[in-house]
Amino acid sequence: MTPVLSVRNVSKSFGGLKAVDDVSFDVHQGEILGLIGPNGSGKSTLFNCVLGQLPASTGTVLVDGQEVAGKRPCDLNKLGVGRTFQMLQVFPEMTVLDNIILAGQEHKGTMLSRLFGKADAGLTEEALRMIEFFRLGHQTHEKAGSLSYGQQKLLDAAMAFMAGPKLVMLDEPAGGVNLTMLADLKERLKAFNQERGATFVVIEHNMEFVMSLCTRIIVLANGRIIAEGDPETVRNDPTVIEAYLGG
């Protein structure tokens, strides 16, 4: 079966600094892959190369076997690649419902149908289902800016999933979230994966969150993959321990 995402020999240099050095991996349907590493390991640069926000110096990125080098993030969205950001991308003066409808609109129909069709592009029903799935139903008509930070993280995730993407890239979803909301977020992500077969790639500094969420983990250090495997294998790998604690 063709991987949902294939990264092949990707490198990225900034002048004389090679931030990502010949990295290759596949992500398969229904997998939750964690991408971790100490500060400066190159994981954010790699993430942005995969998403087209930085051009790779060498190598290729394929989605469902189709090369996506040079494609804009909006083009990747149309191919079924969604993402969340370290910095929240919600619109604070809009309601929770309107945020989620807006997130789905660019994937619904043509420009002509959006101009002359329903104001919500027929997305309200699906948006309400997404709101309930992420347990934000009691805040449906509240402004997003009035939500707690953890609730805004849930909203951000709901917006990323609104278009039904085949692959979602999650950029530090646990950052700044309290333990209660973090447990909710993890439980909802697992449920979405199990119920809808969604595929995730997660960059995260919170090791416990990654270890309890992901089915496979890749560890970067100095721009290269130094370990790969299930959470328990990675947790006990001496090379990983050294990378985090020894240097």
Side-chain angles (χ1 to χ4, degrees):
M1 182 180 294
T2 302
V4 176
L5 174 68
S6 292
V7 176
R8 291 283 174 269
N9 307 112
V10 167
S11 297
K12 178 62 181 178
S13 297
F14 299 96
L17 173 66
K18 185 168 276 191
V20 178
D21 188 1
D22 195 33
V23 169
S24 297
F25 61 89
D26 290 333
V27 183
H28 298 280
Q29 174 65 39
E31 188 171 25
I32 305 179
L33 176 70
L35 185 61
I36 66 173
N39 290 335
S41 62
K43 56 187 182 295
S44 292
T45 301
L46 175 61
F47 208 67
N48 286 325
C49 287
V50 169
L51 289 164
Q53 293 183 303
L54 284 173
S57 302
T58 61
T60 58
V61 177
L62 301 97
V63 174
D64 279 344
Q66 177 181 343
E67 188 169 348
V68 295
K71 289 190 180 293
R72 299 169 299 170
C74 62
D75 296 325
L76 287 175
N77 285 341
K78 292 172 183 175
L79 290 174
V81 180
R83 75 162 297 176
T84 65
F85 295 81
Q86 288 186 41
M87 300 298 292
L88 288 168
Q89 300 294 300
V90 304
F91 296 93
E93 293 303 312
M94 295 175 62
T95 67
V96 168
L97 177 60
D98 286 341
N99 265 276
I100 295 180
I101 288 173
L102 184 64
Q105 277 183 323
E106 70 174 286
H107 308 283
K108 181 75 172 179
T110 63
M111 178 63 73
L112 191 64
S113 68
R114 291 198 290 271
L115 284 172
F116 297 101
K118 295 179 179 179
D120 69 347
L123 291 167
T124 295
E125 187 176 344
E126 176 59 25
L128 290 171
R129 283 197 294 268
M130 193 66 67
I131 287 169
E132 290 300 325
F133 184 87
F134 280 93
R135 296 176 179 166
L136 293 167
H138 55 297
Q139 286 139 335
T140 300
H141 300 292
E142 292 186 20
K143 288 185 177 181
S146 71
L147 274 60
S148 71
Y149 187 77
Q151 289 166 336
Q152 289 186 44
K153 281 278 191 174
L154 286 172
L155 174 58
D156 195 36
M159 291 169 67
F161 295 133
M162 180 58 188
K166 67 185 73 174
L167 171 68
V168 181
M169 311 285 286
L170 299 163
D171 194 351
E172 298 197 21
V177 181
N178 68 43
L179 291 177
T180 300
M181 291 303 301
L182 192 57
D184 283 347
L185 177 61
K186 181 174 66 177
E187 191 269 338
R188 292 293 81 200
L189 292 174
K190 281 189 171 183
F192 206 92
N193 168 260
Q194 292 165 4
E195 295 174 19
R196 305 201 185 189
T199 306
F200 304 150
V201 178
V202 184
I203 284 184
E204 185 52 68
H205 283 101
N206 185 320
M207 292 288 287
E208 288 308 312
F209 182 81
V210 170
M211 293 293 176
S212 59
L213 174 66
C214 297
T215 52
R216 181 167 61 101
I217 295 172
I218 289 173
V219 187
L220 290 180
N222 299 316
R224 299 184 67 89
I225 293 176
I226 62 167
E228 180 177 351
D230 62 77
E232 193 62 25
T233 298
V234 167
R235 188 195 299 272
N236 296 307
D237 189 313
T239 307
V240 175
I241 296 169
E242 175 66 20
Y244 273 93
L245 300 178

